């Protein structure tokens, strides 16, 4: 990517950021209060700043699942490789026995509590996931039955043919935990019960977590001895912490702070994350498709990309953006859209969260564009963990969020099912449209890579045709990484950050 000149706006931001530097001293101290801001030797602990605090006590079944996978705590039977295909993880191999049945062969591995990873333990963990309420996004519309098969085998049968089951099982929400993680009630506890290279040993409320290296990890000992993680929702504070050396790795650097970081500490990568405007189709003004059409026609995404993301994004083209390399050539034009009505001062509440600093800025631009079109807009901004339940229950008329479209399963159909069908577990638009559901169901039953991609794009067109979602921008990953750190993992699915080779 080309280097962007430091604008006047960027210099003002840099000066403003310096004001906050004294406030950060000591924020990233090692356990016991010992400072760890100096240079590290091989095996040093890593200090990591993440944007989102745990919203569900580190439950693997919801949004916290990616926190666990990014910190190297949890794993599933499979993983995704650089091309988005299923790769071995706790399962070293698999084969499809018929349309609905797959057999996975486990590798020799150990849970962090010392128990062996056995077929019965894996089957029990997957069975628990199928019973979670709400269902993990990776299991949206899927019914599966997992049973132990011999000393190392797991046989998984689905109610309907599922050609992407190995990809589905790579989802962070389908992580395999020890039997000790599961109590009689509530979500499982991943503290000391996972299989990854790092083990959670202490949780400091919602603000921090301490992780130690798990020396019996099947993939070999991690090079870092542990991780001191802090959950810092303020993006300027995360960037400052990299600049002052108080943190080794900071995710989600705001575009407003990118120009203020030394080029050597700024890491960029393509991502399948899309920022979108979700319109509440169940209640309120946007129950009317003509008003949804009015909102869509009012939005100019190029203005948002230029003014808010400062070029670190592409204008919204669909649910899938440029990082999904095959999408543009297969995109289908939405049909059957309603004609736009005049808003006539219709009052709406637009909500977003501030864990990603670009979102409130984007929301302000959207607010202005909607008001120019004739809506009366009240903007509400909260921290994500205080917003999610209200958004999912339809308490807002419109919601702006950033979503990695291939995060849950790596399969393009997966996010369509979880986000835009009647039974979807992350359906912020509360969309329940028979044509959209029919298109997603058809895509979900389609085998063959190219054919499935075609069906996914037809389903995308059906969803976009309802105007329940207005894509705003396709983003890029921006991370701050100390020059002393090697081996940070930036993947387009945003599932990983720290691995066995990450060190300082």
């Amino acid at each position: 990517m080309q280097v962007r000149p430091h604008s006047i706006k960027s210099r003002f931001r840099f000066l403003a950021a310096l004001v906050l530097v004294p406030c950060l001293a000591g924020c990233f101290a090692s356990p016991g209060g010992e400072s760890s801001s100096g240079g590290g030797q091989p095996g040093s602990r890593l200090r990591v700043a993440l944007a989102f605090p745990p919203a569900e006590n580190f439950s693997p079944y919801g949004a916290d699942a990616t926190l666990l996978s990014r910190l190297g705590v949890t794993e599933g039977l499979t993983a995704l490789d650089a091309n988005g295909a299923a790769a071995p993880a706790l399962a070293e191999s698999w084969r499809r026995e018929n349309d609905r049945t797959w057999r996975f062969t486990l590798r020799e591995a150990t849970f962090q509590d010392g128990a062996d990873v056995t077929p019965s333990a894996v089957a029990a963990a997957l069975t628990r996931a199928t019973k979670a309420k709400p269902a993990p996004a990776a299991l949206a519309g899927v019914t599966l039955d997992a049973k132990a098969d011999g000393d190392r085998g797991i046989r998984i049968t689905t109610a309907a043919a599922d050609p992407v089951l190995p990809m589905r099982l790579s989802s962070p929400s389908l992580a395999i935990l020890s039997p000790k993680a599961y109590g009689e009630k509530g979500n499982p506890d991943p503290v000391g019960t996972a299989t990854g290279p790092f083990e959670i040993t202490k949780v400091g409320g919602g603000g921090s977590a301490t992780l130690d290296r798990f020396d019996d990890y099947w993939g070999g000992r991690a090079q870092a001895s542990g991780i001191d993680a802090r959950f810092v929702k303020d993006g300027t504070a995360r960037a400052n912490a990299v600049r002052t050396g108080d943190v080794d790795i900071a995710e989600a650097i705001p575009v407003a702070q990118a120009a203020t970081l030394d080029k050597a500490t700024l890491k960029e990568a393509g991502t399948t994350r899309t920022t979108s405007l979700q319109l509440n189709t169940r209640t309120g003004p946007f129950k009317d498709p003509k008003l949804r059409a009015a909102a869509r026609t009012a939005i100019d995404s190029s203005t948002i990309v230029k003014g808010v993301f400062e070029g670190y994004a592409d204008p919204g083209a669909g649910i899938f953006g440029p990082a999904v390399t095959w999408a543009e050539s297969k995109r289908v034009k939405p049909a059957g859209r309603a004609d736009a009505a005049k808003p006539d001062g219709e009052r709406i509440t637009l909500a977003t969260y501030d864990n990603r600093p670009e979102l409130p800025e984007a929301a302000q631009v959207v607010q202005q564009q909607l008001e120019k079109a004739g809506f009366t807009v009240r903007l509400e901004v909260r921290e994500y963990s205080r917003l999610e339940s209200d958004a999912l229950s339809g308490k807002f008329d419109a919601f702006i969020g950033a979503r990695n479209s291939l995060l849950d399963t790596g399969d393009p159909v997966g996010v369509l099912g979880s986000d835009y069908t009647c039974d979807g577990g992350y359906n912020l638009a509360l969309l329940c449209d028979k044509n959209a559901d029919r298109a997603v169901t058809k895509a979900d039953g389609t085998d063959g890579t190219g054919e499935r991609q075609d069906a996914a794009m037809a389903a995308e067109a059906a969803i976009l045709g309802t105007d329940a979602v207005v894509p705003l921008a396709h983003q890029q990953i921006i991370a701050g990484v100390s020059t002393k750190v090697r081996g940070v993992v930036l993947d387009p699915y945003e599932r990983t950050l720290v691995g066995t080779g990450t060190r300082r």
Side-chain angles (χ1 to χ4, degrees):
M1 173 174 293
Q2 64 180 1
V3 178
R4 296 166 179 80
H6 290 208
S7 64
I8 293 176
K9 180 167 67 171
S10 297
R11 286 196 290 270
F12 275 122
R13 286 168 172 161
F14 176 72
L15 293 173
L18 290 179
V19 176
L20 296 177
V21 171
C23 302
L24 294 166
C27 288
F28 294 91
S30 295
E34 182 179 339
S35 173
S36 61
S37 60
Q41 300 299 320
S44 295
R45 298 182 65 83
L46 295 168
R47 300 156 303 161
V48 179
L50 301 177
F52 292 85
E56 298 159 328
N57 296 317
F58 284 111
S59 166
Y61 296 152
D64 292 356
T66 54
L67 292 179
L68 297 169
S69 68
R70 289 170 73 72
L71 290 172
V73 176
T74 55
E75 302 173 296
L77 286 181
T78 61
L80 291 182
D81 66 16
N83 296 317
L90 290 176
E92 61 182 13
S93 63
W94 53 88
R95 69 175 186 270
R96 191 174 188 178
E97 296 184 334
N98 55 53
D99 283 351
R100 299 190 301 111
T101 305
W102 298 72
R103 188 183 189 278
F104 294 79
T105 300
L106 300 180
R107 68 173 72 252
E108 292 186 5
T110 305
F111 288 112
Q112 293 164 352
D113 61 9
D116 289 336
V117 177
T118 63
S120 60
V122 172
L126 291 175
T127 299
R128 290 274 192 163
T130 66
K131 297 178 180 179
K133 302 294 182 183
L139 293 180
V142 176
T143 300
L144 62 80
D145 178 65
K147 294 187 181 303
D149 182 39
D151 293 337
R152 297 177 60 200
I154 294 289
R155 179 168 281 106
I156 299 177
T157 302
T158 55
D162 188 3
V164 296
L165 182 65
M167 295 172 64
R168 189 181 306 283
L169 294 174
S170 73
S171 170
S173 64
L174 299 182
I176 304 301
L177 302 179
S178 163
K180 291 183 180 180
Y182 305 94
E184 292 298 321
K185 296 182 180 179
N187 290 320
D189 183 3
V191 177
T193 61
T195 61
F198 294 100
E199 173 185 359
I200 298 177
T201 56
K202 182 179 179 181
V203 176
S208 65
T210 301
L211 297 82
D212 290 340
R213 178 171 54 205
F214 176 46
D215 288 341
D216 291 331
Y217 177 56
W218 62 264
R221 283 176 30 139
Q223 295 192 33
S225 60
I227 300 171
D228 299 318
R230 300 293 183 268
F231 305 102
V232 184
K233 73 173 186 176
D234 186 278
T236 299
R238 292 196 301 276
N240 283 338
V242 174
R243 188 181 301 112
T244 59
D246 287 326
V247 65
D248 301 309
I249 305 166
E251 70 167 0
I253 296 296
V255 294
Q257 294 297 317
T260 70
L261 286 180
D262 186 278
K263 183 180 178 181
T265 64
L266 191 65
K267 306 298 181 184
E268 303 172 46
T271 173
T272 57
R273 180 172 296 279
T274 295
T275 293
S276 298
L277 172 66
Q278 309 280 348
L279 302 179
N280 183 345
T281 63
R282 182 179 298 173
T283 60
F286 290 127
K287 186 176 181 180
D288 182 352
K290 293 184 177 181
L291 286 178
R292 297 200 298 270
R296 169 180 51 83
T297 56
I299 301 302
D300 178 4
S301 64
S302 63
T303 299
I304 296 170
V305 167
K306 182 178 180 181
V308 176
F309 291 94
E310 300 184 14
Y312 287 96
D314 295 287
I319 296 170
F320 306 108
V324 185
T325 54
W326 49 264
E328 187 58 37
S329 64
K330 293 174 176 284
R331 202 175 306 279
V332 178
K333 184 177 180 180
R337 279 174 160 162
D339 294 329
K342 291 184 178 181
D344 289 331
E346 192 73 56
R347 295 181 178 274
I348 61 172
T349 299
L350 170 63
T352 193
Y353 46 96
D354 55 9
N355 304 74
R356 296 186 180 276
E358 298 84 9
L359 297 187
E361 287 190 56
Q364 290 175 3
V365 175
V366 169
Q367 179 184 27
Q368 293 167 4
Q369 293 179 348
L370 291 175
E371 289 178 339
K372 185 178 179 180
F375 290 96
T376 300
V377 184
R378 182 176 72 87
L379 179 59
E380 186 165 335
V381 180
R382 302 183 202 164
E383 194 270 334
Y384 183 80
S385 63
R386 298 178 53 246
L387 190 74
E388 182 185 62
S389 61
D390 283 349
L392 288 170
S393 64
K395 292 188 178 181
F396 309 116
D397 299 307
F399 180 85
I400 292 178
R403 177 83 154 123
N404 192 316
S405 60
L406 298 185
L407 173 65
D408 293 322
T409 64
D411 171 38
V413 181
V415 72
L416 302 181
S418 65
D419 291 17
Y420 300 108
T421 62
C422 297
D423 296 328
Y426 198 68
N427 189 348
L428 291 166
L430 301 174
L431 180 64
C432 190
D433 179 86
K434 62 180 182 180
N435 291 328
D437 268 33
R438 188 182 302 116
V440 173
T441 299
K442 179 179 179 181
D444 198 35
T446 302
D447 207 343
T449 302
E451 293 83 355
R452 192 173 183 85
Q453 291 170 353
D454 291 338
M457 298 313 290
E460 181 200 60
I463 292 165
L464 293 176
T466 69
D467 285 329
V469 55
V470 182
L472 302 176
H474 305 295
Q475 297 175 236
Q476 295 173 352
I477 298 172
I478 309 176
V481 181
S482 166
T483 56
K484 299 175 182 178
V485 171
R486 300 289 182 272
V488 170
V489 186
L490 300 179
D491 73 285
Y493 313 106
E494 300 182 68
R495 295 179 172 190
T496 56
L497 183 66
V498 178
T500 56
T502 312
R503 65 195 185 280
R504 71 177 178 96

Coordinates of all heavy atoms in Angstrom, one line a residue, residues 58 68 73-74 110-115 176-181 188-196 198-203 210-212 214:
F58 N -16.1 -14.8 28.6 CA -15.3 -15.7 27.8 C -16.0 -16.9 27.3 O -15.4 -18.0 27.1 CB -14.0 -16.1 28.5 CG -12.9 -15.0 28.6 CD1 -12.6 -14.4 29.8 CD2 -12.3 -14.6 27.4 CE1 -11.7 -13.4 29.8 CE2 -11.3 -13.6 27.5 CZ -11.0 -13.0 28.7
L68 N -10.6 -15.6 22.4 CA -9.9 -16.8 22.8 C -9.0 -17.3 21.7 O -7.9 -17.7 22.0 CB -10.9 -17.9 23.2 CG -11.8 -17.5 24.5 CD1 -12.9 -18.5 24.6 CD2 -11.0 -17.4 25.7
V73 N -5.7 -19.4 22.8 CA -6.2 -20.3 23.9 C -7.0 -21.5 23.4 O -6.8 -22.6 23.8 CB -7.2 -19.4 24.8 CG1 -7.8 -20.3 25.9 CG2 -6.4 -18.2 25.4
T74 N -7.9 -21.3 22.4 CA -8.8 -22.3 22.0 C -8.5 -22.8 20.6 O -7.9 -22.1 19.8 CB -10.2 -21.9 22.1 OG1 -10.4 -20.7 21.3 CG2 -10.7 -21.7 23.5
T110 N -3.5 -32.9 24.4 CA -3.8 -32.8 25.8 C -4.5 -31.5 26.1 O -4.2 -30.5 25.6 CB -2.5 -32.9 26.7 OG1 -1.8 -34.1 26.3 CG2 -2.9 -32.9 28.2
F111 N -5.6 -31.6 27.0 CA -6.2 -30.4 27.5 C -5.3 -29.7 28.5 O -4.4 -30.4 29.1 CB -7.6 -30.8 28.1 CG -8.6 -31.2 27.2 CD1 -9.1 -32.5 27.2 CD2 -9.2 -30.2 26.3 CE1 -10.1 -32.9 26.3 CE2 -10.2 -30.6 25.4 CZ -10.7 -31.9 25.4
Q112 N -5.5 -28.5 28.7 CA -4.7 -27.7 29.6 C -4.9 -28.1 31.1 O -4.1 -27.7 31.9 CB -5.0 -26.2 29.5 CG -4.5 -25.7 28.1 CD -5.1 -24.3 27.7 OE1 -6.0 -23.8 28.4 NE2 -4.7 -23.7 26.6
D113 N -5.9 -28.9 31.4 CA -6.1 -29.4 32.7 C -5.4 -30.8 32.9 O -5.5 -31.4 34.0 CB -7.5 -29.5 33.1 CG -8.4 -30.4 32.2 OD1 -7.8 -31.1 31.4 OD2 -9.6 -30.4 32.4
G114 N -4.7 -31.3 31.9 CA -4.0 -32.5 31.9 C -4.7 -33.7 31.4 O -4.1 -34.8 31.1
A115 N -6.0 -33.6 31.1 CA -6.8 -34.7 30.5 C -6.4 -34.9 29.0 O -6.1 -33.9 28.3 CB -8.3 -34.5 30.7
I176 N -13.0 -26.8 21.2 CA -13.1 -28.0 22.0 C -12.5 -27.8 23.4 O -11.3 -27.4 23.5 CB -12.4 -29.2 21.3 CG1 -12.9 -29.5 19.9 CG2 -12.5 -30.5 22.2 CD1 -14.4 -29.7 19.8
L177 N -13.3 -28.0 24.4 CA -12.8 -27.8 25.8 C -12.9 -29.1 26.5 O -13.7 -30.0 26.2 CB -13.7 -26.7 26.5 CG -13.7 -25.3 25.8 CD1 -14.6 -24.4 26.6 CD2 -12.3 -24.7 25.7
S178 N -12.2 -29.1 27.6 CA -12.2 -30.3 28.5 C -13.6 -30.5 29.2 O -14.3 -29.5 29.4 CB -11.1 -30.1 29.6 OG -11.3 -31.0 30.7
P179 N -13.9 -31.7 29.5 CA -15.2 -32.0 30.2 C -15.3 -31.1 31.5 O -16.4 -30.8 31.9 CB -15.1 -33.5 30.6 CG -14.3 -34.1 29.5 CD -13.2 -33.0 29.2
K180 N -14.2 -30.7 32.1 CA -14.3 -29.9 33.3 C -14.8 -28.5 33.0 O -15.2 -27.8 34.0 CB -12.9 -29.8 34.0 CG -12.4 -31.1 34.6 CD -11.1 -31.0 35.3 CE -10.6 -32.2 35.9 NZ -9.3 -32.1 36.6
A181 N -14.8 -28.1 31.8 CA -15.3 -26.8 31.4 C -16.8 -26.6 31.5 O -17.3 -25.5 31.6 CB -14.8 -26.4 30.0
P188 N -19.7 -22.7 29.1 CA -18.5 -23.4 29.6 C -17.4 -22.4 29.9 O -17.4 -21.2 29.5 CB -18.1 -24.2 28.3 CG -18.7 -23.5 27.2 CD -20.0 -23.0 27.7
D189 N -16.5 -22.8 30.8 CA -15.4 -22.0 31.3 C -14.1 -22.4 30.6 O -13.6 -23.5 30.9 CB -15.3 -22.1 32.8 CG -14.3 -21.2 33.4 OD1 -13.6 -20.4 32.7 OD2 -14.1 -21.3 34.7
P190 N -13.5 -21.5 29.8 CA -12.3 -21.9 29.1 C -11.0 -21.7 29.9 O -10.0 -22.0 29.4 CB -12.3 -21.0 27.9 CG -12.9 -19.7 28.4 CD -14.0 -20.2 29.4
V191 N -11.1 -21.2 31.1 CA -9.9 -21.0 31.9 C -9.3 -22.4 32.3 O -9.9 -23.1 33.1 CB -10.3 -20.2 33.2 CG1 -9.0 -20.0 34.1 CG2 -10.8 -18.8 32.8
G192 N -8.2 -22.6 31.8 CA -7.4 -23.9 32.1 C -8.0 -25.1 31.5 O -7.7 -26.2 31.9
T193 N -9.0 -25.0 30.5 CA -9.6 -26.2 30.0 C -9.5 -26.3 28.5 O -10.1 -27.2 27.9 CB -11.1 -26.2 30.4 OG1 -11.8 -25.1 29.8 CG2 -11.3 -26.2 31.9
A194 N -8.8 -25.4 27.8 CA -8.7 -25.5 26.4 C -7.5 -26.3 25.9 O -6.9 -27.1 26.7 CB -8.6 -24.0 25.8
T195 N -7.1 -26.1 24.6 CA -6.0 -27.0 24.1 C -4.9 -26.2 23.4 O -4.0 -26.7 22.9 CB -6.6 -27.9 23.0 OG1 -7.2 -27.2 22.0 CG2 -7.6 -28.9 23.6
G196 N -5.1 -24.8 23.3 CA -4.1 -24.0 22.6 C -2.8 -23.8 23.3 O -2.6 -24.3 24.4
F198 N -1.6 -21.3 24.7 CA -1.6 -20.4 25.8 C -2.8 -20.7 26.7 O -3.9 -20.9 26.2 CB -1.6 -18.9 25.4 CG -0.3 -18.5 24.7 CD1 -0.2 -18.4 23.3 CD2 0.9 -18.2 25.5 CE1 1.0 -18.1 22.7 CE2 2.1 -17.9 24.9 CZ 2.1 -17.8 23.5
E199 N -2.6 -20.6 28.0 CA -3.6 -21.0 28.9 C -4.0 -19.8 29.8 O -3.1 -19.1 30.4 CB -3.1 -22.1 29.8 CG -4.0 -22.5 31.0 CD -3.4 -23.5 31.9 OE1 -2.2 -24.0 31.6 OE2 -4.0 -23.9 32.9
I200 N -5.3 -19.5 29.9 CA -5.7 -18.4 30.8 C -5.5 -18.9 32.2 O -6.0 -19.9 32.6 CB -7.2 -18.1 30.6 CG1 -7.4 -17.5 29.1 CG2 -7.7 -17.0 31.6 CD1 -8.9 -17.3 28.8
T201 N -4.8 -18.1 33.0 CA -4.6 -18.4 34.4 C -5.2 -17.4 35.4 O -5.4 -17.7 36.5 CB -3.1 -18.4 34.7 OG1 -2.5 -17.1 34.4 CG2 -2.4 -19.5 34.0
K202 N -5.6 -16.2 34.8 CA -6.2 -15.2 35.7 C -7.0 -14.3 34.8 O -6.6 -13.8 33.8 CB -5.2 -14.4 36.5 CG -5.8 -13.4 37.4 CD -4.6 -12.7 38.2 CE -5.2 -11.6 39.1 NZ -4.1 -10.9 39.9
V203 N -8.2 -13.9 35.3 CA -9.1 -12.9 34.6 C -9.3 -11.8 35.6 O -9.8 -12.0 36.7 CB -10.4 -13.5 34.1 CG1 -11.3 -12.5 33.5 CG2 -10.2 -14.7 33.2
T210 N -4.5 -12.8 32.2 CA -3.2 -13.3 32.3 C -3.1 -14.7 31.7 O -3.9 -15.5 32.1 CB -2.6 -13.3 33.7 OG1 -2.7 -12.0 34.2 CG2 -1.2 -13.8 33.7
L211 N -2.2 -14.9 30.8 CA -2.1 -16.2 30.1 C -0.6 -16.7 30.3 O 0.3 -15.9 30.2 CB -2.4 -16.2 28.6 CG -3.9 -15.8 28.3 CD1 -4.0 -14.3 28.3 CD2 -4.2 -16.3 26.9
D212 N -0.5 -18.0 30.5 CA 0.8 -18.6 30.6 C 1.0 -19.6 29.4 O 0.0 -20.1 28.9 CB 1.1 -19.3 31.9 CG 1.2 -18.4 33.1 OD1 1.5 -17.2 32.8 OD2 1.0 -18.8 34.2
F214 N 1.3 -23.0 27.6 CA 0.9 -24.4 27.9 C 2.0 -25.3 27.3 O 2.1 -25.4 26.1 CB -0.4 -24.6 27.3 CG -0.9 -26.1 27.4 CD1 -0.8 -26.7 28.6 CD2 -1.4 -26.7 26.3 CE1 -1.2 -28.0 28.7 CE2 -1.9 -28.0 26.4 CZ -1.8 -28.7 27.6

